[in-house]
């Protein structure tokens, strides 16, 4: 019992040690540009956490990363690397936008869930291509998903700038052109903000804060994924295939079936990634629609060690770093790239420390097995 508690404690300490190590290394980087690490970190915390609206912006920044981290972690759990979350969420966002602006006259109670469902379907369809190629032709999912990311960029460009461009816009003064974007979503397809709900508890947020119901939906999704992985037969099969595919096959589990279902689930989660921005902030999809959530989700999942609840906190950490970057750049003139370095160092630290911890834990477990024998 004590040994099990000690091992669990070591697993929990790994990401904390990584954060401390990355902060120390980042301090060296900050010193190299002539700034005080204490002042930089103090400014980050004060700017990010001193006001309620700033905290809400952190949670808004974290929302897409929760879904992205979950999408990546499902792939990791079954031993696959879904690096194609980037393309899947862009396709999902376009499917959602298409349903949002093309369908008219539906009540919000029907239209809103339909748009969200279309986002998930778009992500699933784009995820089906690489997993089909892997299962049927043995094509490695990393290669196919990377290629599909680039295809999705070009496809989205064509769909937005040509096929579905909103030609009802007024010409941009001085340019004689219109913005390359889709038509605006119907009001019934827009996700409500959390302002009204938080107001019931005396928490008032300004209008420029776009924290919406996708954040609690992300928390609920993480809980459902945890339940699926840990307490359902399919979750057991998925984890078994991820641990040892051939041993799972010997036990009567079909790795190919698990791969297809699991990867489609990962794609559906990826389809949710861009919806908070689409259905709350922008209200349309344009050529400047946010990118790199898919790649950031890899980092979020790695830091959380693929734990769904850990992904929530990891995503909030990245939301904090993004908000803090704005503060130190504005108030101290620290380059925004410093935060990118902090994130990169944090990822490398968690990978190294997790490897060291896991090796140490395995040695402890073997010693315990020998002692019991």
């Amino acid at each position: 019992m004590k040994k099990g508690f000690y091992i669990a404690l070591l697993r929990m300490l790994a990401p904390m040690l990584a954060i401390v190590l990355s902060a120390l290394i980042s301090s060296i980087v900050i010193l190299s540009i002539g700034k005080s690490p204490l002042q930089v970190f103090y400014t980050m915390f004060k700017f990010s956490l001193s006001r309620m609206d700033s905290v809400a912006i952190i949670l808004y920044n974290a929302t897409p990363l929760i879904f992205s981290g979950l999408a990546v972690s499902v792939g990791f759990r079954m031993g696959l690397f879904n690096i194609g979350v980037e393309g899947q969420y862009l396709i999902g966002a376009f499917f959602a936008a298409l349903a949002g602006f093309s369908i008219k006259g539906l009540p919000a109670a029907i239209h809103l869930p339909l748009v969200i469902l279309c986002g998930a379907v778009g992500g699933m369809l784009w995820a089906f291509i690489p997993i089909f190629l892997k299962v049927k032709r043995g094509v490695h999912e990393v290669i196919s998903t990377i290629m599909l990311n680039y295809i999705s960029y070009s496809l989205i460009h064509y769909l937005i700038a040509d096929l579905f461009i909103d030609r009802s816009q007024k010409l941009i003064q001085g340019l004689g052109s219109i913005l390359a974007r889709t038509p605006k979503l119907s009001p019934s397809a827009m996700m409500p903000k959390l302002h009204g709900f938080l107001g019931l508890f005396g928490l008032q947020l300004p209008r420029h804060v776009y924290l919406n119901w996708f954040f609690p939906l992300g928390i609920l999704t993480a809980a459902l994924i945890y339940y699926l992985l840990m307490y359902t037969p399919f979750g057991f099969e998925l984890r078994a295939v991820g641990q040892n595919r051939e041993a799972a096959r010997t036990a009567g589990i079909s790795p190919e079936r698990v791969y297809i279902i699991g990867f489609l689930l990962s794609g559906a989660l990826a389809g949710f990634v861009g919806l908070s921005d689409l259905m709350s902030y922008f209200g349309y999809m344009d050529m400047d629609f946010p990118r790199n959530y898919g790649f950031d989700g890899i980092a979020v999942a790695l830091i959380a060690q693929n734990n769904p609840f850990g992904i929530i906190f990891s995503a909030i950490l990245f939301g904090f770093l993004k908000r803090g970057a704005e503060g130190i750049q504005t108030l101290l003139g620290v380059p925004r790239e410093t935060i990118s370095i902090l994130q990169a160092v944090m990822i490398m630290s968690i990978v190294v420390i997790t490897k060291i911890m896991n090796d140490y834990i395995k040695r402890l477990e073997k010693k315990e097995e020998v002692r019991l024998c």
Side-chain angles (χ1 to χ4, degrees):
M1 185 68 178
K2 290 183 179 180
K3 184 72 70 174
F5 175 77
Y6 179 62
I7 290 174
L9 183 62
L10 288 176
R11 294 188 188 279
M12 291 175 60
L13 285 176
M16 298 179 188
L17 290 174
I19 292 172
V20 172
L21 179 61
S22 62
L24 292 174
I25 298 175
S26 298
S27 296
I28 299 174
V29 176
I30 294 169
L31 285 170
S32 69
I33 60 175
K35 302 292 183 180
S36 167
L38 291 177
Q39 185 183 19
V40 168
F41 291 135
Y42 173 76
T43 302
M44 284 181 63
F45 277 92
K46 184 177 180 181
F47 182 82
S48 302
L49 304 175
S50 61
R51 300 194 315 272
M52 186 61 199
D53 62 322
S54 189
V55 173
I57 291 173
I58 291 173
L59 299 182
Y60 174 77
N61 292 339
T63 300
L65 297 179
I66 293 175
F67 292 111
S68 181
L70 290 172
V72 173
S73 70
V74 169
F76 281 151
R77 286 278 189 164
M78 58 183 172
L80 300 182
F81 190 178
N82 184 8
I83 203 172
V85 170
E86 181 76 9
Q88 291 155 22
Y89 93 74
L90 289 174
I91 298 297
F94 178 78
F95 269 59
L98 183 62
F101 69 73
S102 63
I103 301 176
K104 309 289 184 181
L106 287 179
I110 298 177
H111 200 185
L112 187 61
L114 178 61
V115 171
I116 296 173
L117 178 63
C118 286
V121 170
M124 290 175 67
L125 289 175
W126 207 246
F128 177 75
I129 300 173
I131 200 58
F132 176 82
L133 292 174
K134 180 176 181 65
V135 170
K136 297 298 183 181
R137 292 291 181 263
V139 179
H140 200 286
E141 74 278 0
V142 171
I143 302 299
S144 58
T145 51
I146 289 176
M147 295 299 101
L148 283 167
N149 283 341
Y150 288 104
I151 293 173
S152 70
Y153 297 154
S154 299
L155 180 59
I156 290 296
H157 187 285
Y158 167 69
L159 292 172
I160 292 176
D162 193 337
L163 200 58
F164 291 99
I165 190 171
D166 182 9
R167 303 188 184 279
S168 66
Q169 305 172 73
K170 294 181 180 180
L171 294 179
I172 301 174
Q173 290 185 349
L175 296 179
S177 61
I178 59 176
L179 182 66
R181 66 167 176 82
T182 66
K184 290 187 176 181
L185 275 64
S186 301
S188 57
M190 297 296 289
M191 176 64 77
K193 298 179 183 178
L194 282 174
H195 293 53
F197 176 75
L198 293 176
L200 298 175
F201 303 94
L203 301 174
Q204 302 298 326
L205 296 178
R207 293 182 62 184
H208 69 267
V209 176
Y210 288 87
L211 181 64
N212 56 75
W213 284 96
F214 274 112
F215 178 71
L217 180 60
I219 295 175
L220 176 61
T221 303
L224 291 175
I225 293 298
Y226 180 83
Y227 179 82
L228 173 70
L229 291 174
M230 306 307 297
Y231 296 104
T232 66
F234 176 73
F236 173 79
E237 292 177 353
L238 187 144
R239 288 184 289 118
V241 170
Q243 290 290 327
N244 191 317
R245 181 176 63 180
E246 295 308 317
R249 191 189 302 277
T250 303
I253 299 172
S254 169
E256 291 75 19
R257 182 181 66 87
V258 171
Y259 283 160
I260 291 174
I261 297 174
F263 218 81
L264 291 180
L265 173 61
S266 178
L269 292 168
F272 292 145
V273 171
L275 300 189
S276 178
D277 287 320
L278 174 70
M279 300 168 63
S280 178
Y281 182 77
F282 288 97
Y284 56 81
M285 192 172 183
D286 64 4
M287 300 307 301
D288 295 322
F289 196 74
R291 302 287 177 92
N292 295 323
Y293 285 145
F295 300 123
D296 290 343
I298 298 171
V300 168
L302 285 174
I303 290 176
Q305 299 184 61
N306 299 317
N307 183 295
F309 292 116
I311 284 170
I312 296 173
F313 295 103
S314 180
I316 292 174
L317 173 62
F318 273 67
F320 164 77
L321 291 174
K322 181 179 179 180
R323 180 62 175 167
E326 297 170 359
I328 62 175
Q329 185 179 27
T330 303
L331 301 176
L332 301 178
V334 175
R336 194 178 184 88
E337 288 73 20
T338 303
I339 294 299
S340 299
I341 294 173
L342 177 61
Q343 292 173 341
V345 170
M346 194 177 298
I347 295 166
M348 289 188 291
S349 299
I350 192 67
V351 170
V352 172
I353 291 178
T354 300
K355 173 64 175 174
I356 294 172
M357 285 287 193
N358 285 340
D359 289 346
Y360 178 63
I361 289 170
K362 286 179 181 178
R363 288 198 298 269
L364 287 178
E365 290 174 338
K366 287 182 179 179
K367 288 181 180 178
E368 185 68 11
E369 290 176 2
V370 171
R371 188 184 67 83
L372 292 176
C373 291

